[in-house]
Amino acid sequence: MNIQNFSLSEKLVSSSYVRQGLQARRGHEQLVRVLLQQGKCPEEGWSESTVELFLNELAVMDSNNFLGNCGVGEREGRVASGLVAKRHYRLIHGIGRSGDIAAVQPKAAGSSLLNKITNSVVLDVLKFTGVRSVSSCFVVPMATGMSLTLCFLTLRHRRPGARFILWPRIDQKSCFKSMLTAGFEPVVIENVLEGDELRTNLEEVERKIEELGAENFLCVHSTTSCFAPRVPDRLEELAVLCAKHDIPHIVNNAYGMQSSKCMHLIQQGARVGRIDAFVQSLDKNFMVPVGGAIIAGFDENFIKEISKMYPGRASASPSLDVLITLLTLGANGYKKLLAERKELYGHLAQELSALAERHGERLLHTPHNPISLAMSLNRLQTHGTAAVTQLGSMLFTRQVSGARVVPLGVEQTVSGHTFRGFMSHADAYPCPYLNAASAIGITRDDITLCIKRLDKCLKSLSKEACGEKSESGSPKGNKINT
């Protein structure tokens, strides 16, 4: 409805009612105008009606929705199912062109605008969550692992003679395979044990650089968010080493956006040394479906190089999902979720510590990990490794998802490389343990139910072990493969 149509409406409905409707419409339009002018996440969230009005306005700008369009090409935004069209708000053309995921499509002005606005809003969120000097970013319709691969492939053109990627160990398959998929050989740096924490071995990092030669390294591939007892890498020190030896630095910040500590590490690393790009997941940080990531950095030209490395057009679904979410939450709504997560981290730590004490265990001391916690399972281990792994099965069948039980002595071969003590980020961590995390969206009820069910599982396993001991006259155990 434009001004002329509103004027015509006054012939059919009282002019006072029409003017009231026009004012309401202008309220929606003002929100859109501010978004387009500033390119920032709105302070307060929009109503669903405003979001849908905006998306419908974008959709009618795409050629597949033109009333008189006659398409004779191979890609005309045709959709067989009405449900599929509704699911995507009739934004069918995707984002980018064959040579650049950030390019504007002549046939899809609305989808192109969606892409530009989403990247601008996400950049604003990166800044207010802690990385204030970030200069550029884009949403890519791939999860974290493949997004890291895209970064490595881009660096290949800058460093064609490089063979290795230096990687402080983290036991997560996708980040390891991201390096192999790009065609590089990971140089695994084992972590050092400091108290209960597993931390970056800086001396070994520098020794490897000197041994293999800085020119032979594509980059250093570091990590922020991770499962305790591993903690975020020493990003500042690694960034200084990268600057010193002129080695690029890519950071896996998978779910680190929700942590002010992880974001501060990236900001500080870029300030004192070198960080070329950092990658974060959309689903883990914004509670949207899996399938998207944000690639960001401090050199706009390098981030453009990465976007141009993506072959072909791309799905707009991840961009659409995160834009809808951020417009609905607003900056204040998202900040509130971050504050609640941080508060509940303390509550989870208290509850897990009390539970551990009741069962003769302890909460591992990992103050440098701002998201994940770990509780020892030493007493359970005395009944054998099977008892430890059984706890994980029991929790899963009791609908406790996300809790990780890490036994001793697990070996796992990933693409030809064998990791000892897999899942524990070390060859021989001193004890088995259970992980729980306070991630964005967690509630106090989640924690209460988890602790209650974990308590019952531990009691059940303890009774079962005592019964077996009384029947056999001796503890039943399994040999532990270390």
Side-chain angles (χ1 to χ4, degrees), residues 59-117:
V60 297
M61 295 171 67
D62 284 1
S63 63
N64 61 293
N65 299 311
F66 293 174
L67 293 179
N69 188 62
C70 174
V72 293
E74 83 290 349
R75 181 188 287 115
E76 295 297 333
R78 302 182 182 103
V79 177
S81 168
L83 285 175
V84 172
K86 287 179 182 179
R87 174 176 177 258
H88 295 276
Y89 284 91
R90 295 176 292 114
L91 293 159
I92 310 301
H93 280 282
I95 56 175
R97 302 186 74 180
S98 59
D100 184 355
I101 195 177
V104 172
Q105 294 186 65
K107 289 195 294 186
S111 293
S112 298
L113 188 55
L114 167 77
N115 190 26
K116 298 291 185 181
I117 292 170

Side-chain angles (χ1 to χ4, degrees), residues 150-189:
L150 191 64
C151 294
F152 302 144
L153 290 171
T154 305
L155 284 174
R156 179 193 289 277
H157 292 273
R158 290 192 170 192
R159 298 172 74 86
R163 289 179 51 205
F164 307 109
I165 294 178
L166 197 148
W167 180 64
R169 177 177 169 179
I170 175 170
D171 290 353
Q172 208 275 341
K173 292 180 183 178
S174 66
C175 52
F176 184 72
K177 294 173 81 170
S178 70
M179 298 178 283
L180 297 172
T181 302
F184 294 94
E185 181 181 334
V187 175
V188 182
I189 304 297

Side-chain angles (χ1 to χ4, degrees), residues 5-7 9-10 13-23:
N5 287 337
F6 272 107
S7 298
S9 299
E10 292 180 359
V13 178
S14 169
S15 60
S16 61
Y17 298 158
V18 171
R19 284 195 297 271
Q20 189 177 33
L22 176 59
Q23 289 173 355

Side-chain angles (χ1 to χ4, degrees), residues 32-52:
V32 174
R33 186 179 301 113
V34 171
L35 175 66
L36 294 174
Q37 285 175 342
Q38 299 180 354
K40 294 182 177 181
C41 186
E43 287 297 312
E44 300 298 331
W46 292 5
S47 67
E48 287 188 6
S49 59
T50 304
V51 174
E52 289 191 324

Side-chain angles (χ1 to χ4, degrees), residues 53-272:
L53 177 65
F54 176 51
L55 295 177
N56 286 328
E57 294 280 359
L58 292 179
V60 297
M61 295 171 67
D62 284 1
S63 63
N64 61 293
N65 299 311
F66 293 174
L67 293 179
N69 188 62
C70 174
V72 293
E74 83 290 349
R75 181 188 287 115
E76 295 297 333
R78 302 182 182 103
V79 177
S81 168
L83 285 175
V84 172
K86 287 179 182 179
R87 174 176 177 258
H88 295 276
Y89 284 91
R90 295 176 292 114
L91 293 159
I92 310 301
H93 280 282
I95 56 175
R97 302 186 74 180
S98 59
D100 184 355
I101 195 177
V104 172
Q105 294 186 65
K107 289 195 294 186
S111 293
S112 298
L113 188 55
L114 167 77
N115 190 26
K116 298 291 185 181
I117 292 170
T118 301
N119 291 341
S120 181
V121 168
V122 167
L123 183 66
D124 179 50
V125 177
L126 285 169
K127 289 180 177 180
F128 74 62
T129 51
V131 187
R132 299 198 175 277
S133 60
V134 62
S135 65
S136 183
C137 76
F138 68 98
V139 172
V140 60
M142 303 186 296
T144 309
M146 285 302 294
S147 297
L148 288 166
T149 296
L150 191 64
C151 294
F152 302 144
L153 290 171
T154 305
L155 284 174
R156 179 193 289 277
H157 292 273
R158 290 192 170 192
R159 298 172 74 86
R163 289 179 51 205
F164 307 109
I165 294 178
L166 197 148
W167 180 64
R169 177 177 169 179
I170 175 170
D171 290 353
Q172 208 275 341
K173 292 180 183 178
S174 66
C175 52
F176 184 72
K177 294 173 81 170
S178 70
M179 298 178 283
L180 297 172
T181 302
F184 294 94
E185 181 181 334
V187 175
V188 182
I189 304 297
E190 292 294 334
N191 300 300
V192 291
L193 187 64
E194 297 181 8
D196 289 332
E197 293 183 326
L198 290 165
R199 306 209 67 185
T200 314
N201 189 339
L202 293 171
E203 291 183 1
E204 182 64 10
V205 168
E206 189 141 33
R207 191 186 72 79
K208 279 294 183 184
I209 292 173
E210 292 174 359
E211 176 189 331
L212 298 173
E215 70 281 1
N216 293 315
F217 282 98
L218 180 82
C219 66
V220 170
H221 176 193
S222 63
T223 304
T224 54
S225 54
C226 53
F227 296 119
R230 196 193 191 282
V231 300
D233 280 319
R234 298 181 187 271
L235 245 60
E236 290 182 51
E237 293 90 337
L238 286 175
V240 169
L241 282 174
C242 288
K244 173 185 173 183
H245 295 284
D246 192 26
I247 300 175
H249 186 186
I250 305 296
V251 180
N252 175 6
N253 188 45
Y255 49 100
M257 274 190 74
Q258 59 194 277
S259 163
S260 57
K261 182 177 287 187
C262 289
M263 298 299 273
H264 176 73
L265 286 173
I266 294 171
Q267 175 64 35
Q268 287 299 101
R271 185 182 66 82
V272 302

